[in-house]
Amino acid sequence: MVAHPDLQTQFDLRVAEDQRIEPKDWMPEPYRRTLVRQISQHAHSEIVGMLPEGNWITRAPSLRRKAVLLAKVQDEAGHGLYLYSAAETLGTSREQMIDDLHSGKAKYSSIFNYPTLSWADMGAIGWLVDGAAIMNQVPLCRTSYGPYARAMVRICKEESFHQRQGYEIMMTLAKGSEAQRAMAQDALNRWWWPVLMMFGPKDDESPNTALSMQWKIKRFTNDELRQKFVDATVPQAEYLNLSIPDPDLKWNEARGHYDFGPINWDEFWEVVKGNGPCNRQRLEARRKAHEEGEWVREAAIAYAIKRKMKSEK
Amino acid sequence: MDTQWPLWEVFIRSKQGLDHKHVGSLHAADAQMAMENARDVYTRRREGVSIWVVESKHIHASNPDEQESFFDPADDKAYRHPTFYQVPDSLTHI
């Protein structure tokens, strides 16, 4: 990047002054690459994230729950599209991003490689997975790249409903029969640790964090966000009278935070590498949808061309 | 065959009396599909009363590298602002 000392200085100054970088502004190549990776990964997570919940739409326990779940999954499709559109402003194409997802080159959040075994998982996902996503996303509303920040503002406005509907499901189950309580507790047991992994590797093992912080793409480190999430969530679990599956979890007066037990990072890396319980199934579902939709995309183009020719006659 | 639909920019009037504002982009085969997709992607919560869609290739943007020279004709014309003129404090409605 020494080739453009003036442009680099101008860029650094702009970031330091908390100004936004816009699509046509000069930016260092590593900044652009990091953004494409992060934004497309984020978009893929929204799209793949529709699958575990889509699994329960037809089996929702009431019409109200079904309408709500459908609306939530539609929002996720929308969030994926806002983010793909933000990434495209960096010069990458939609096909490239989708190819990278399907070939396994691009990642998505490891959380969506876990199965949704019971209806209570819809509650746990909304409450915990969306809760963790919000922790991560709120600071991204101030991220240094303009189109990403604006997409995040729109997403955050919609995300709060996702978390609250999930908590409402958990409240209903937690106040219900013994079997319903057990379902809620089982969902919390299965989702708790994978949700803590959503924030990514520990700071000292996260190679991208330092640069991302310097560029103000990220505003908090993985460990800071994870701690904020634990602190916010423990009282919510207490209200439900459910227990968090961590014997080491306790309030630390001196730190003013909850201490929590060690995360199983071997499991995290296995899931990232593609060996989680549902990795293959998720990618297969995405590929199938894309391939089987091909004729629709072609037909729409053919129809648009035909109409244009007719109107020009 | 390339099955990627063209890119469209979406502008939304959030309520009557306000300007249309750029909100993002999407892919669609034609204007009608772009309009319907824009409604589904950008106005799921009644965020708009009117939508414009424009194919992205039709938008021409100023060059940020020339930002300073391009906008500098306005730099030295402070007399275009009301605060350039001194009037007595005791006067009102001016």
Side-chain angles (χ1 to χ4, degrees):
Chain A
M1 292 309 106
V2 265
H4 307 283
D6 292 350
L7 292 170
Q8 178 75 50
T9 311
Q10 202 179 37
F11 171 86
D12 292 342
L13 201 71
R14 209 173 257 190
V15 170
E17 286 174 345
D18 269 332
Q19 287 191 46
R20 296 284 180 266
I21 306 299
E22 294 295 342
K24 295 185 70 151
D25 293 339
W26 184 89
M27 61 188 88
E29 270 317 300
Y31 176 80
R32 186 185 299 274
R33 274 202 305 277
T34 301
L35 280 170
V36 168
R37 182 176 51 77
Q38 180 170 333
I39 302 173
S40 65
Q41 185 171 316
H42 197 157
H44 298 327
S45 301
E46 297 284 355
I47 299 300
V48 177
M50 297 161 76
L51 298 170
E53 288 175 310
N55 184 34
W56 282 91
I57 290 173
T58 55
R59 292 177 286 163
S62 69
L63 190 56
R64 176 180 183 271
R65 294 284 188 217
K66 184 174 182 162
V68 168
L69 188 56
L70 198 56
K72 179 176 191 286
V73 172
Q74 283 174 330
D75 274 354
E76 278 148 14
H79 296 178
L81 294 174
Y82 304 155
L83 289 161
Y84 282 131
S85 127
E88 281 171 280
T89 65
L90 290 157
T92 183
S93 72
R94 185 78 61 101
E95 296 109 303
Q96 185 63 52
M97 288 187 275
I98 289 173
D99 282 352
D100 287 349
L101 172 68
H102 293 176
S103 72
K105 186 178 164 218
K107 302 291 178 206
Y108 54 87
S109 178
S110 55
I111 195 77
F112 301 116
N113 291 313
Y114 290 85
T116 43
L117 303 179
S118 81
W119 170 253
D121 290 17
M122 296 305 99
I125 286 181
W127 171 36
L128 301 171
V129 175
D130 290 278
I134 290 170
M135 279 294 165
N136 202 16
Q137 288 169 345
V138 168
L140 286 175
C141 294
R142 295 184 296 120
T143 196
S144 57
Y145 186 57
Y148 190 24
R150 293 191 286 274
M152 290 318 303
V153 168
R154 198 165 290 122
I155 289 173
C156 285
K157 272 189 199 158
E158 301 182 352
E159 202 78 58
S160 163
F161 131 61
H162 296 184
Q163 190 187 20
R164 291 172 72 131
Q165 67 83 36
Y167 196 73
E168 191 195 69
I169 292 174
M170 293 304 273
M171 281 198 298
T172 307
L173 293 173
K175 281 190 284 188
S177 67
E178 223 14 75
Q180 286 173 316
R181 276 196 63 74
M183 240 166 83
Q185 181 64 55
D186 172 62
L188 173 55
N189 292 349
R190 283 182 291 107
W191 289 97
W192 177 254
W193 290 105
V195 164
L196 292 194
M197 294 174 200
M198 276 175 73
F199 296 96
K202 284 195 294 194
D203 292 348
D204 47 16
E205 285 160 26
S206 173
N208 303 319
T209 294
L211 265 178
S212 285
M213 298 280 287
Q214 188 193 315
W215 284 326
K216 296 190 181 172
I217 296 175
K218 276 172 94 156
R219 298 291 189 146
F220 294 97
T221 70
N222 296 352
D223 285 333
E224 285 168 347
L225 290 168
R226 191 164 14 243
Q227 182 71 60
K228 273 160 83 101
F229 173 77
V230 172
D231 291 346
T233 309
V234 172
Q236 296 166 359
E238 282 168 356
Y239 181 85
L240 295 171
N241 213 5
L242 296 176
S243 55
I244 289 176
D246 179 358
D248 297 324
L249 184 79
K250 67 166 189 295
W251 179 251
N252 182 326
E253 191 66 54
R255 287 203 312 128
H257 293 292
Y258 283 93
D259 289 338
F260 52 95
I263 290 170
N264 182 350
W265 292 111
D266 292 341
E267 175 182 324
F268 172 77
W269 289 115
E270 274 307 301
V271 179
V272 170
K273 272 188 249 158
N275 303 319
C278 300
N279 294 57
R280 276 174 209 90
Q281 196 184 326
R282 298 290 185 241
L283 273 187
E284 238 170 69
R286 284 312 316 153
R287 279 194 211 108
K288 183 166 178 273
H290 192 67
E291 281 161 17
E292 291 179 1
E294 173 128 36
W295 71 270
V296 180
R297 296 192 295 277
E298 284 178 1
I301 288 280
Y303 180 65
I305 293 171
K306 190 174 140 194
R307 280 221 303 191
K308 201 168 168 226
M309 276 167 34
K310 256 193 186 162
S311 73
E312 279 166 7
K313 253 183 210 165
Chain B
M1 177 178 175
D2 176 17
T3 55
Q4 186 59 73
W5 294 332
L7 190 65
W8 301 72
E9 300 300 322
V10 181
F11 300 82
I12 291 179
R13 186 200 295 286
S14 58
K15 64 179 192 191
Q16 210 63 19
L18 296 183
D19 296 329
H20 285 77
K21 198 174 146 196
H22 183 245
V23 293
S25 61
L26 48 77
H27 291 271
D30 59 23
Q32 187 191 338
M33 187 194 279
M35 192 63 84
E36 287 166 6
N37 288 358
R39 175 198 62 195
D40 293 345
V41 175
Y42 291 103
T43 65
R44 286 190 304 285
R45 289 174 176 75
R46 304 198 61 92
E47 288 91 340
V49 293
S50 163
I51 299 177
W52 290 347
V53 290
V54 182
E55 234 188 297
S56 308
K57 68 177 184 196
H58 296 310
I59 296 200
H60 300 267
S62 60
N63 183 351
D65 297 339
E66 290 160 12
Q67 185 178 331
E68 262 176 51
S69 56
F70 188 69
F71 291 102
D72 82 353
D75 282 352
D76 55 359
K77 296 178 182 64
Y79 47 83
R80 284 178 173 164
H81 298 276
T83 46
F84 182 77
Y85 305 92
Q86 299 289 333
V87 292
D89 288 346
S90 54
L91 292 185
T92 57
H93 302 297
I94 180 162

